[in-house]
Amino acid sequence: MNTLVIAGGTDGIGKALAQAYLGRGATVVVIGRNPERGRHFLDTARAAGAAERAFFVTADLSLLAETSRAAEEIRAAFPTVDALVFCARHYRSRRTETSEGYEENFALFYLSRHLLGQALAEPLSRAEHPVIVNVAGPGAGLELVRWDDLQLSRHYHGGAALGQGGKLNDLLGVSYAEQHGPAGIRYVLIHPGVTATGFSGEYDADTLPHIRSMQHHAKPVEAALPPIIAAIDKPPAEALSAYVEGRRILVDTQGFDPAAARRLRDLTDRLLARS
């Protein structure tokens, strides 16, 4: 493993993954929106003697302009990327639009992953065994997708936004594998199970007790890493694969329908073209 890029690498699973690969001698590039946490990542790397292999790119990945800028910075600095890992997401009890006019969950949890994957396809294709690992939550049904209201302008609920976001990432994996699989890039969807991360988000009074209970009973972050590390170290032979708590699930089912994936890709392309 030479160069690993982690979107959302200053907290939770992404942070633990960054530290693990720095310890193994890899070059690690972390994208995050909090400069203070970025400095902590770099300081920790420096204390471990890995300063020359640790890089932080400041970007709010809910903003498409910043996502694109971050991707360009990485492309310019790293002609080859071996692995790209998506970890960033943020719960919102109330519907919130970014300054660019997108519903925040849709922008962060789906659009940023779409943009980064496309923008870094070229440096990924130069790696010997390139892989994208999308930490989302694969395997739900297509009924979660509100095709006529992808940004949940009606009847918004934070859990529904994240649930739909996970399904959109399933379809993103299908279309990405169809487009870039022939170039050797492997796409792996992973749900490591409920993990005691920071549960980044803003929760209302009804939701917060449930989150606190999940944090108390969830597995430690270190226990969530093995299936992710396995996918990075030895990507599956297939262009697309999916795992739930280390158990491989089928991707030739209706939930991973290629026609639905192409429909989403077309809607996404048209949406971005208007931006």
Side-chain angles (χ1 to χ4, degrees), residues 97-253:
E97 288 192 358
T98 69
S99 59
E100 296 173 330
Y102 295 99
E103 191 274 312
E104 189 180 81
N105 276 293
F106 180 72
L108 175 63
F109 196 17
Y110 169 65
L111 287 180
S112 74
R113 300 183 185 209
H114 167 79
L115 287 175
L116 285 172
Q118 293 297 330
L120 298 179
E122 185 175 345
L124 279 163
S125 69
R126 297 193 185 105
E128 185 175 1
H129 300 292
V131 63
I132 292 178
V133 176
N134 190 333
V135 181
L142 280 173
E143 66 275 4
L144 290 180
V145 181
R146 299 188 195 174
W147 290 105
D148 63 340
D149 188 23
L150 287 176
Q151 298 190 59
L152 306 187
S153 61
R154 304 182 300 275
H155 310 297
Y156 176 88
H157 184 277
L162 288 185
Q164 176 181 256
K167 190 68 244 173
L168 297 184
N169 277 289
D170 282 0
L171 299 179
L172 172 59
V174 173
S175 61
Y176 196 95
E178 186 176 70
Q179 183 180 9
H180 298 289
I185 303 175
R186 297 301 175 241
Y187 205 104
V188 186
L189 296 154
I190 288 183
H191 179 19
V194 180
T195 305
T197 65
F199 285 85
S200 175
E202 296 180 8
Y203 302 96
D204 58 25
D206 292 334
T207 307
L208 189 58
H210 177 61
I211 296 302
R212 294 290 182 244
S213 176
M214 289 176 64
Q215 287 177 311
H216 180 72
H217 294 97
K219 69 175 69 172
V221 170
E222 291 72 21
L225 296 186
I228 301 172
I229 289 174
I232 295 171
D233 288 351
K234 190 176 181 181
E238 296 78 12
L240 176 68
S241 55
Y243 296 82
V244 175
E245 297 195 76
R247 174 179 57 86
R248 190 161 186 168
I249 64 173
L250 297 175
V251 294
D252 58 352
T253 62

Side-chain angles (χ1 to χ4, degrees), residues 69-114:
R69 174 188 52 76
E72 287 307 309
E73 287 185 23
I74 293 168
R75 282 168 55 95
F78 303 96
T80 301
V81 171
D82 297 271
L84 171 60
V85 183
F86 298 133
C87 291
R89 71 177 191 173
H90 186 81
Y91 187 97
R92 290 277 191 183
S93 289
R94 296 181 179 179
R95 187 180 187 277
T96 303
E97 288 192 358
T98 69
S99 59
E100 296 173 330
Y102 295 99
E103 191 274 312
E104 189 180 81
N105 276 293
F106 180 72
L108 175 63
F109 196 17
Y110 169 65
L111 287 180
S112 74
R113 300 183 185 209
H114 167 79

